């Protein structure tokens, strides 16, 4: 409820989630970025739709989709309650880094009032443990470079 409420008050709002499914109304932005996850460089793509005044962005990477399409029975955090997948740290590190890049690299023109990239003047709301690394990355990877 918060994103549409903020949009209704005149703010430009983007939500960022893992792409766990095809989401019929989203389109591939054709934008890809590289993020460092563990010892590897991973490429993520962004999918987008515009609903209720909000840019809905989905981070596309096989680490997300395999939890739905693979042998996990659509359990996206762990094989059972209270037990996490061993790659959760990598997956959500990837999500957080992609989320920090999205406002800079996505050229979104969905709204009659806003167009282009969000830029660097943004507020991030990290509302669950999946996004807990965002403030850490903002400080260590961006603020330290003056971004």
């Amino acid at each position: 409820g918060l994103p549409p409420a903020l949009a209704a008050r005149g703010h430009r709002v983007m939500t960022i989630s893992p792409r766990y499914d095809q989401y019929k109304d989203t389109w591939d932005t054709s934008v890809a970025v590289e993020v460092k996850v563990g010892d590897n460089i991973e490429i993520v793509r962004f999918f987008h739709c515009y609903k209720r005044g909000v840019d809905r962005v989905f981070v596309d990477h096989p680490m997300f989709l395999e939890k739905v399409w693979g042998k996990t029975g659509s359990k996206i955090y762990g094989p059972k309650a209270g037990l996490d997948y061993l790659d959760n740290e990598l997956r959500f590190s990837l999500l957080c880094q992609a989320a920090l890049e999205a406002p800079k690299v996505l050229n979104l023109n969905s709204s009659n009032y806003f167009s282009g990239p969000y830029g660097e003047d943004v507020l991030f709301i990290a509302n669950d443990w999946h996004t807990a690394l965002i403030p850490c990355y903002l400080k260590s990877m961006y603020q330290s470079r003056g971004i």
Side-chain angles (χ1 to χ4, degrees):
L2 180 60
L6 290 171
R9 294 184 64 100
H11 298 283
R12 189 174 188 195
V13 181
M14 174 191 298
T15 62
I16 303 174
S17 303
R19 184 171 175 251
Y20 286 122
D21 204 344
Q22 293 298 330
Y23 304 113
K24 296 177 189 112
D25 52 353
T26 64
W27 53 275
D28 186 347
T29 65
S30 299
V31 175
V33 296
E34 293 181 348
V35 296
K36 187 171 181 0
V37 180
D39 294 329
N40 299 319
I41 299 294
E42 300 288 341
I43 297 173
V44 298
R45 296 175 63 88
F46 297 100
F47 281 67
H48 173 259
C49 68
Y50 188 74
K51 285 186 177 179
R52 297 176 61 196
V54 177
D55 285 306
R56 310 280 179 164
V57 174
F58 298 91
V59 177
D60 182 58
H61 189 275
M63 281 196 284
F64 297 121
L65 288 175
E66 72 187 4
K67 296 302 180 205
V68 178
W69 294 349
K71 299 177 181 177
T72 61
S74 296
K75 293 177 171 62
I76 55 179
Y77 305 120
K80 63 181 184 177
L83 185 62
D84 292 336
Y85 289 122
L86 297 178
D87 68 348
N88 277 357
E89 293 87 358
L90 298 176
R91 290 189 303 136
F92 296 113
S93 171
L94 183 137
L95 173 67
C96 291
Q97 291 180 67
L100 290 168
E101 289 296 312
K104 298 186 323 179
V105 301
L106 291 176
N107 190 12
L108 304 174
N109 298 307
S110 306
S111 167
N112 293 334
Y113 308 104
F114 302 107
S115 65
Y118 280 60
E120 294 179 18
D121 188 16
V122 297
L123 170 71
F124 288 93
I125 299 174
N127 76 327
D128 209 340
W129 68 267
H130 313 96
T131 56
L133 288 173
I134 286 177
C136 302
Y137 288 154
L138 273 172
K139 185 174 182 178
S140 66
M141 296 167 55
Y142 291 83
Q143 192 178 44
S144 64
R145 297 183 316 195
I147 299 173

